[in-house]
């Protein structure tokens, strides 16, 4: 009986914190997020309840065909977590180092670096988050990303049922796109799989997929 109850508690906590950069100890997260102006593919392993490391490939696409890519070894840290009976809040820090290739203002290949932070607050039916990432290859290219999300779930699903969220995302990458890109999207997760689909107000598709193993 005790293992069953612990399993229920674990699945509940997983459902409320599913898309975070650090998950449960010894858990592996594989994710791919794609939009016309960028793609983010990564695999992370949480070797501690507050630390995860992995590989991350970002690609940025300008409308004129110019691209920049960062291939990074990444380290994520859960800086602080607040738990209550029906909500959770988190702050995460991320850093990374690797190789950058770009033909934005300058063309070439250099060492590339990542620094960033994320914060979120969520319940079983409400979600808010803020993210900021800075990608830099000195004397080659710099790209910053600011993202905000707000969302709600129209119902509380049982731990073994499909969970659905309605979200609104705003993203700003001034070195790639001068305007803030607003994207309504739907989030679904079931067991260990999460996927998101949407379209920006400029009719640009958005697709995100994530699995925990």
């Amino acid at each position: 009986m005790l293992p069953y109850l612990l399993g229920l508690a674990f699945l509940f906590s997983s459902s409320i914190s599913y898309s975070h950069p650090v998950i449960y100890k010894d858990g592996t997260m594989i994710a791919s997020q794609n939009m016309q102006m960028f793609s983010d593919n990564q695999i992370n392993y949480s070797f501690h309840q507050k630390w995860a490391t992995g590989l991350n490939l970002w690609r940025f696409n300008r409308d004129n065909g110019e691209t920049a890519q960062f291939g990074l070894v990444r380290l994520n840290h859960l800086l602080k977590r607040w738990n209550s009976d029906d909500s959770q809040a988190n702050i995460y820090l991320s850093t990374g180092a690797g190789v950058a290739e770009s033909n934005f203002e300058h063309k070439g290949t250099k060492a590339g670096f990542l620094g960033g932070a994320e914060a979120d607050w969520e319940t079983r039916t409400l979600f808010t988050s803020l993210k900021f990432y800075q990608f830099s290859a000195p004397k080659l290219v710099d790209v910053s990303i600011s993202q905000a999300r707000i969302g709600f779930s129209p119902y509380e699903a049982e731990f073994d049922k499909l969970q659905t969220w309605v979200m609104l995302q705003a993203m700003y990458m001034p070195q790639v796109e001068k305007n803030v890109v607003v994207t309504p999207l739907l989030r679904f997760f079931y067991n260990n799989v999460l996927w998101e689909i949407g379209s920006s107000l400029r009719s640009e598709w958005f697709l995100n997929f994530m699995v925990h193993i």
Side-chain angles (χ1 to χ4, degrees):
M1 184 65 177
L2 180 58
Y4 177 74
L5 293 176
L6 291 175
L8 292 181
F10 167 75
L11 286 168
F12 172 78
S13 64
S14 297
S15 69
I16 202 173
S17 58
Y18 191 86
S19 60
H20 293 158
V22 181
I23 58 174
Y24 50 87
K25 186 177 182 296
D26 293 326
T28 299
M29 181 269 286
I30 301 172
S32 179
Q33 186 175 189
N34 299 276
M35 204 170 184
Q36 181 176 323
M37 62 181 180
F38 80 97
S39 65
D40 167 22
N41 297 283
Q42 57 181 292
I43 178 169
N44 289 316
Y45 171 70
S46 294
F47 59 90
H48 184 275
Q49 61 183 4
K50 290 190 175 182
W51 293 92
T53 188
L55 301 175
N56 194 187
L57 175 62
W58 281 80
R59 178 183 173 92
F60 303 98
N61 306 305
R62 287 179 170 173
D63 288 341
N64 62 5
E66 295 175 345
T67 63
Q69 297 184 85
F70 285 80
L72 305 162
V73 177
R74 180 166 169 167
L75 182 67
N76 303 320
H77 175 52
L78 170 59
L79 180 66
K80 182 68 175 179
R81 170 168 290 162
W82 295 268
N83 284 311
S84 69
D85 291 341
D86 58 359
S87 68
Q88 183 182 103
N90 306 279
I91 297 177
Y92 296 91
L93 301 178
S94 295
T95 187
V99 178
E101 183 180 54
S102 175
N103 62 359
F104 275 13
E105 282 71 29
H106 307 283
K107 183 176 181 179
T109 302
K110 289 183 177 293
F113 305 94
L114 160 69
E118 302 185 19
D120 62 65
W121 173 86
E122 53 190 308
T123 71
R124 294 289 297 276
T125 56
L126 298 173
F127 178 87
T128 60
S129 71
L130 295 171
K131 297 181 182 181
F132 177 80
Y133 288 102
Q134 179 70 44
F135 298 83
S136 180
K139 298 182 180 180
L140 178 64
V141 63
D142 290 283
V143 179
S144 63
I145 301 175
S146 302
Q147 179 186 290
R149 277 188 175 191
I150 186 170
F152 72 95
S153 177
Y155 62 92
E156 288 190 16
E158 299 296 328
F159 71 90
D160 59 345
K161 303 298 183 182
L162 177 68
Q163 180 74 58
T164 304
W165 292 80
V166 180
M167 292 192 174
L168 187 66
Q169 172 181 286
M171 179 175 285
Y172 183 51
M173 292 191 291
Q175 296 83 7
V176 179
E177 168 55 54
K178 298 300 183 182
N179 299 309
V180 176
V181 178
V182 178
T183 306
L185 61 96
L186 295 175
R187 167 186 283 189
F188 307 93
F189 64 80
Y190 178 72
N191 290 336
N192 64 329
V193 180
L194 176 147
W195 64 100
E196 299 175 333
I197 56 174
S199 176
S200 74
L201 299 184
R202 305 186 308 177
S203 299
E204 297 172 337
W205 58 270
F206 173 88
L207 177 62
N208 184 20
F209 173 82
M210 183 181 300
V211 60
H212 287 177
I213 56 177

